[in-house]
Amino acid sequence: MFSIIVPSYNRKDEIPLLLKSLTHQTVYNFEVIIIDDYSVQPVEITEFYPFPVNVIRNARNLGAAESRNVGAKNAKNQWLLFLDDDDRFLPQKCELLANTVNQNNTINFIYHPAECVMVNEGFSYITKPYENVIDITLDNILKANKVGGMPMIAITKELFNKVGGLSTDLLSLEDYDFILKVISDEIFTPRYISLPLTKCTFHTKRNSVSTNISNTEKAISMIEAKYVKTKEQQKNFAFNQLYMLSYPYIMNLSRQAAKYYWEMFKQSHSVKYVVIAIITLISPKLAINMKRFV
């Protein structure tokens, strides 16, 4: 029923751990497709698993988005799932997804919350997607991605192919662009599951701020050109891009994130953003810890 697509680059030691975690699924109604994105040391599978595992090695480094597209092209099953090599599915995920599909045979998209683990800070929080699928409109998602990233969705191969897969001209925000593209399609028929079925890990101070900001700014411009058409959408996206620009800074524990939270207060008049801005100026690490509560 499902094809689990896993892009991986120079992280071959993560693959056996990921595959072992998938042996804990309550049903084996899936195949696993690992896309080795031209790693220095190729990914090799030496163990036997109770589900098919297919390793595809790119002839050159293509990036995560195109690697996921390669995985989708080679998928044998109707539904596509996406998993990063350091993230994990809850044991009952594939069983619950299958039950949802069997009980709702017209749907082509499923989304759910995730448990986000802040590794360096030692805490986790649960994302809060829209519970009512009626709220998934272009206007709303331009204001905030309250659907989720690739590890938090299931999509039919038909719909994935219809929208052209993930965009490969972005070096940031590829998941967000994909969600915008999918929800804009006329055949989009979603279903929500309230359980956090994926555990995603996040590391502060892992990447260069300057590189991330440059890629994010370019991605924001391209997304705005593609999707923002009305004054309401422009207003919503103007607010959201402040959050997206703050993210590389706060994940690198930089006080520069505070200026974006202040601008978010000026646009929304929500005291929450004043509080976050002040705390970020005092201690970005403390501001990160506020994710437990807001």
Side-chain angles (χ1 to χ4, degrees):
M1 175 171 277
F2 301 109
S3 294
I4 302 175
I5 296 167
V6 183
S8 185
Y9 177 63
N10 286 342
R11 294 164 61 88
K12 62 177 292 186
D13 292 341
E14 294 284 350
I15 298 301
L17 299 174
L18 177 140
L19 292 173
K20 183 177 180 180
S21 75
L22 290 172
T23 65
H24 298 301
Q25 288 293 307
T26 53
V27 293
Y28 299 135
N29 55 358
F30 57 87
E31 64 170 343
V32 179
I33 304 174
I34 299 167
I35 309 301
D36 177 4
D37 196 16
Y38 200 60
S39 301
V40 174
Q41 294 183 321
V43 172
E44 297 177 348
I45 305 302
T46 58
E47 301 289 330
F48 172 80
Y49 297 96
F51 43 79
V53 179
N54 181 19
V55 177
I56 299 171
R57 180 171 168 84
N58 292 335
R60 59 184 177 87
N61 184 260
L62 299 176
E66 182 59 16
S67 292
R68 290 185 177 115
N69 290 341
V70 170
K73 290 175 186 176
N74 288 273
K76 296 178 181 178
N77 295 322
Q78 178 186 3
W79 282 84
L80 307 179
L81 308 179
F82 300 89
L83 187 60
D84 292 341
D85 54 19
D86 57 350
D87 296 340
R88 299 291 181 263
F89 286 167
L90 265 63
Q92 68 270 37
K93 174 164 179 168
C94 290
E95 182 176 5
L96 289 176
L97 289 179
N99 291 341
T100 300
V101 171
N102 291 333
Q103 294 166 12
N104 304 272
N105 58 14
T106 61
I107 63 173
N108 53 23
F109 188 91
I110 303 171
Y111 67 108
H112 58 77
E115 178 186 359
C116 298
V117 180
M118 304 302 298
V119 176
N120 298 336
E121 289 68 32
F123 75 91
S124 64
Y125 65 94
I126 306 298
T127 61
K128 299 176 181 177
Y130 284 125
E131 297 183 11
N132 191 333
V133 298
I134 295 175
D135 292 326
I136 303 180
T137 65
L138 183 59
D139 283 9
N140 284 343
I141 304 304
L142 282 170
K143 189 171 185 178
N145 179 9
K146 291 194 175 184
V147 174
M150 302 304 290
M152 308 164 202
I153 69 168
I155 185 171
T156 61
K157 188 172 181 180
E158 177 188 16
L159 179 55
F160 185 92
N161 290 336
K162 187 173 186 293
V163 301
L166 286 100
S167 299
T168 58
D169 52 353
L170 302 177
L171 296 177
S172 181
L173 306 178
E174 304 100 314
D175 291 20
Y176 181 44
D177 174 78
F178 180 74
I179 295 298
L180 289 168
K181 183 161 45 173
V182 169
I183 69 167
S184 299
D185 194 272
E186 65 273 9
I187 70 168
F188 174 66
T189 310
R191 189 77 177 183
Y192 175 68
I193 295 178
S194 61
L195 297 173
L197 298 178
T198 303
K199 181 180 289 189
C200 300
T201 57
F202 294 88
H203 299 260
T204 49
K205 298 188 75 69
R206 172 172 274 191
N207 297 312
S208 161
V209 175
S210 59
T211 299
N212 280 354
I213 281 293
S214 175
N215 290 339
T216 300
E217 288 175 340
K218 291 175 183 176
I220 285 172
S221 295
M222 296 174 73
I223 289 171
E224 183 174 16
K226 281 196 282 187
Y227 301 105
V228 176
K229 306 300 180 185
T230 69
K231 288 185 178 179
E232 183 67 20
Q233 291 172 350
Q234 189 173 38
K235 176 184 174 184
N236 289 349
F237 192 67
F239 182 81
N240 191 22
Q241 68 178 283
L242 292 172
Y243 170 79
M244 292 186 287
L245 289 169
S246 74
Y247 186 79
Y249 286 113
I250 197 63
M251 288 300 290
N252 277 275
L253 304 182
S254 169
R255 289 178 172 82
Q256 290 193 58
K259 66 181 180 182
Y260 297 103
Y261 297 134
W262 176 250
E263 289 299 322
M264 291 169 79
F265 161 69
K266 288 166 64 177
Q267 288 194 21
S268 67
H269 306 293
S270 171
V271 176
K272 175 177 75 172
Y273 296 110
V274 175
V275 174
I276 296 174
I278 293 171
I279 293 175
T280 301
L281 286 173
I282 296 170
S283 169
K285 196 174 185 70
L286 181 58
I288 283 279
N289 274 267
M290 288 183 64
K291 284 184 173 287
R292 305 180 198 217
F293 313 110
V294 297

